[in-house]
Amino acid sequence: MDKETPRQLDADTRSLLDSVPTQLFLGGKWCDAEGSGTFPVIDPSTGDVLTRVADARPVDAMRALDAATAAQKSFAAAAPRERGELLRSVWQAISEHADDLARLMTLEMGKALPESRAEVSYGGEFFRWFSEEAVRVAGRFTQAPAGNGRILVTRQPVGPVLAITPWNFPLAMGTRKIGPALAAGCPIIVKPASATPLTMLYLAKLMQDAGLPEGVLSVLPSSSSSEVTQPLLDDPRLRKLTFTGSTEVGRSLVEKSAHGLLRTSMELGGNAPFVVFDDADVDAAVAGATLAKMRNGGEACTAANRFHVDNAVRDEFTTKLTDKLREYVLGPGLDPDTTLGPLVNADQRNKVDELVRDAVDKGATPVLGGTVPDGPGFFYPATVLTDVPADARILKEEVFGPVVAIRGFDGEDEGVAAANDTEYGLAAYVYTRDLDRALRVAENIESGMVGVNRGVLSDTAAPFGGIKASGFGREGGIEGIDEYLETKYIALTD
Ligand code: NAP
């Protein structure tokens, strides 16, 4: 079959896809892209085209910025309660359309349907959380220490925002930015990943139906992300760039934003260590490791990438974790039996395979999986590698797939040193029954987030973000809205 020809789909899937707008959403209006270009959206379970969407050009991006700039003043002046209520209505709409959103996400991104359902719930929560935060933006008022004046500190919306989002969480990586931007009073232009534009377009439709004011949101799918975002970064009317994606692209965007001294937030790649000490509850560590590795099919920036296990419990941990991962059923994400869907595309699957081959060539032992299955789609099985040597690339690079790489250590100092042996610093996981050790290690691990005896960290109420090559800025929590606010000091006489 010609991969460019949309394939025959069952009636339910066809009607779901037909309900998704495939035009650009420019400040509240659906339009074709300049030149009427489109690009295909691929089903990772077959490699076939699902549908085509409008392919934004730089001129479309400028139209989105015109609309955002025109809306800025009135949106910032709207009552915070009004903005909060809009966000809450969108959270309700997401909840009502959760099933369609989850199926759509699985169709374009591949992951098993329960994973998509979990993302819809997590992603929607950012609207509920920031609907509540919209009314809690506060400043302060104090007397100057010398007694000769008063200090008034206020918070104001930063202005029009550009959000560039990845494919691995097509909804949540957008809502984690749109929620706080709108709560703060900033119009936002979203450039979703070209692999997964449908979820964001569907969200735009839900937001439009919920009463979104004109100009406040634009969604610009594009097959030429660098070209389409460049004029926005060059335009002084844009006041903020928030990016989630790879460290490599994040670095280049920081460079491009430097000229205009654009305010930036960077949620970048990770290389999370999962550290199991000799006093850990091994069964709890195995349950946590399964979640930390297999959530989202391993395609999460917080996914445990390296398993550093004290040699005293390493064999037991390895055997039990391998037994757990053997239970995963690989298949198309919409299949009811599937617990592990395909990876997003051939490049991603090839990279996972390359990292596994490299580790095995250097001496690692594959005890589960480790080979690309025959047939269509971008599948890769749950894989466990033991005795991974220190020079294996998989310990340095983000694997972004269902691969566990295990390496032993002896004692706390060696465990912490191994965990910190990376340029990244997003998430880390620690298993120990000793509270003193847990706090000591959590404080000494160089990362923005540490899970103690738990394998999932993400929570709308907590500040999500990294240090070192994992970027800067925080999303979620009470901190998340700060990224979209400026602090203004007004000096008053006494
Ligand atoms: P990516 O290749 O960096 O792409 C991310 C986004 O940037 C996509 O929308 C992409 O568009 C766009 N993009 C790529 N090159 C660009 C350029 N030169 N100028 C402007 N935009 C550009 O990352 P990805 O492969 O989609 O996502 C996986 C990465 O995201 C992983 O490293 C993961 O760790 C990271 N991530 C981090 C977090 C976090 O919170 N720290 C969360 C999730 C994911 P196209 O799709 O068109 O290429």
Side-chain angles (χ1 to χ4, degrees), residues 164-169 173 176 191-195 222-226 229 243-247 249-250 252-253 256 267-270 300-301 348 398 400 426 464 470 475:
I164 305 179
T165 57
W167 48 262
N168 65 333
F169 290 101
M173 297 304 96
R176 216 160 69 170
K191 207 298 291 169
S194 50
S222 176
S223 65
S224 46
S225 45
S226 176
T229 53
F243 172 73
T244 300
S246 62
T247 295
V249 173
S252 86
L253 288 169
K256 288 180 185 178
E267 296 286 348
L268 308 179
C301 52
Q348 196 60 35
E398 195 176 24
F400 239 56
L426 186 64
F464 187 106
S470 294
E475 295 191 321

Side-chain angles (χ1 to χ4, degrees), residues 375-406:
F378 312 122
F379 294 96
Y380 201 87
T383 294
V384 178
L385 305 174
T386 58
D387 305 313
V388 177
D391 62 343
R393 283 174 53 199
I394 203 164
L395 299 180
K396 307 276 175 216
E397 297 175 35
E398 195 176 24
V399 60
F400 239 56
V403 181
V404 170
I406 301 176

Side-chain angles (χ1 to χ4, degrees), residues 20 85 241 244 313 343 353 384 422 459:
V20 184
E85 277 166 6
L241 165 66
T244 300
V313 292
L343 297 175
D353 194 44
V384 178
T422 174
D459 192 310

Side-chain angles (χ1 to χ4, degrees), residues 122-422:
Y122 172 60
E125 278 298 321
F126 285 104
F127 284 107
R128 180 156 66 157
W129 175 262
F130 284 108
S131 76
E132 291 154 357
E133 289 303 291
V135 293
R136 310 210 194 295
V137 173
R140 64 191 167 91
F141 185 61
T142 53
Q143 191 179 27
N148 57 354
R150 291 193 177 85
I151 295 168
L152 174 63
V153 180
T154 62
R155 318 292 309 283
Q156 294 183 321
V158 64
V161 176
L162 169 62
I164 305 179
T165 57
W167 48 262
N168 65 333
F169 290 101
L171 181 73
M173 297 304 96
T175 57
R176 216 160 69 170
K177 299 178 188 307
I178 301 169
L182 266 46
C186 303
I188 185 165
I189 301 166
V190 183
K191 207 298 291 169
S194 50
T196 56
L198 301 177
T199 304
M200 193 47 62
L201 290 168
Y202 193 92
L203 176 68
K205 187 179 78 152
L206 294 183
M207 293 184 71
Q208 186 180 36
D209 294 347
L212 187 73
E214 210 173 295
V216 163
L217 175 75
S218 290
V219 179
L220 294 175
S222 176
S223 65
S224 46
S225 45
S226 176
E227 218 183 313
V228 85
T229 53
Q230 187 66 56
L232 296 175
L233 301 178
D234 290 339
D235 193 312
R237 293 176 300 164
L238 188 80
R239 295 296 169 81
K240 162 96 191 173
L241 165 66
T242 171
F243 172 73
T244 300
S246 62
T247 295
E248 188 191 356
V249 173
R251 277 201 179 103
S252 86
L253 288 169
V254 170
E255 279 170 20
K256 288 180 185 178
S257 308
H259 179 70
L261 296 173
L262 189 63
R263 213 170 133 184
T264 55
S265 304
M266 294 282 141
E267 296 286 348
L268 308 179
N271 180 9
F274 191 99
V275 188
V276 184
F277 288 105
D278 54 359
D279 61 347
D281 174 339
V282 174
D283 290 332
V286 166
T290 307
L291 270 175
K293 179 75 262 182
M294 300 303 286
R295 174 171 169 257
N296 216 42
E299 294 176 300
C301 52
T302 50
N305 207 52
R306 306 167 280 142
F307 290 74
H308 298 290
V309 185
D310 194 294
N311 283 319
V313 292
R314 191 175 53 133
D315 287 350
E316 182 189 355
F317 176 83
T318 303
T319 306
K320 288 181 168 171
L321 182 59
T322 305
D323 288 345
K324 271 263 179 251
L325 265 53
R326 196 173 279 118
E327 292 167 11
Y328 274 82
V329 179
L330 191 61
L334 288 180
D335 253 16
D337 294 336
T338 295
T339 48
L340 179 60
L343 297 175
V344 72
N345 57 31
D347 284 352
Q348 196 60 35
R349 198 254 315 261
N350 296 345
K351 167 143 192 245
V352 171
D353 194 44
E354 199 180 297
L355 291 179
V356 169
R357 297 270 71 77
D358 169 79
V360 172
D361 289 349
K362 287 174 176 158
T365 310
V367 292
L368 183 71
T371 46
V372 175
D374 291 335
F378 312 122
F379 294 96
Y380 201 87
T383 294
V384 178
L385 305 174
T386 58
D387 305 313
V388 177
D391 62 343
R393 283 174 53 199
I394 203 164
L395 299 180
K396 307 276 175 216
E397 297 175 35
E398 195 176 24
V399 60
F400 239 56
V403 181
V404 170
I406 301 176
R407 188 171 161 77
F409 69 82
D410 291 304
E412 185 178 311
D413 290 350
E414 214 179 292
V416 173
N420 284 337
D421 186 17
T422 174

